[in-house]
Amino acid sequence: MEITQFTMEEILDPTNIIEGKRYEFILDVEIDEEDELYHEAGIEIRVLIGEKGESPFILNYFILEKAEGEYLDFALEDDELEEILTFCKEEIAKL
């Protein structure tokens, strides 16, 4: 899996109910053709990141097939989640 493009947005909580910060990342990823996640139109991963203290963490993620915009019922492997979290941490640190 390779992240080719992304967008990032801080999710604001006007009620101040949520502790810490929240970010939404939309990641365009390139998947190997032999991977079960592969779709010809491409895959997008929507990742919600929480930041409380010094270490951001993944709150939740959703995998979408780009052509139809349909959610796919797959779980990412631990190494893929670690790769995504590392990428997101690096981008948050740039703020």
Side-chain angles (χ1 to χ4, degrees), residues 8-10 18 24 50-51 58 61 66 78 81 83 86:
M8 177 182 79
E9 182 178 331
E10 184 175 354
I18 299 173
E24 178 183 48
E51 184 180 44
I58 294 176
Y61 65 89
K66 287 171 66 171
D78 289 342
L81 288 172
E83 180 181 342
T86 299

Side-chain angles (χ1 to χ4, degrees), residues 32-74:
D32 189 287
E33 288 185 29
E34 296 184 16
D35 192 306
E36 64 184 340
L37 273 178
Y38 177 80
H39 282 74
E40 192 171 320
I43 294 293
E44 204 172 71
I45 302 174
R46 178 178 174 229
V47 185
L48 300 175
I49 299 288
E51 184 180 44
K52 187 175 177 184
E54 293 185 23
S55 187
F57 53 94
I58 294 176
L59 292 166
N60 208 347
Y61 65 89
F62 307 93
I63 304 169
L64 292 101
E65 191 269 336
K66 287 171 66 171
E68 301 293 324
E70 295 178 2
Y71 288 96
L72 302 177
D73 190 21
F74 284 98

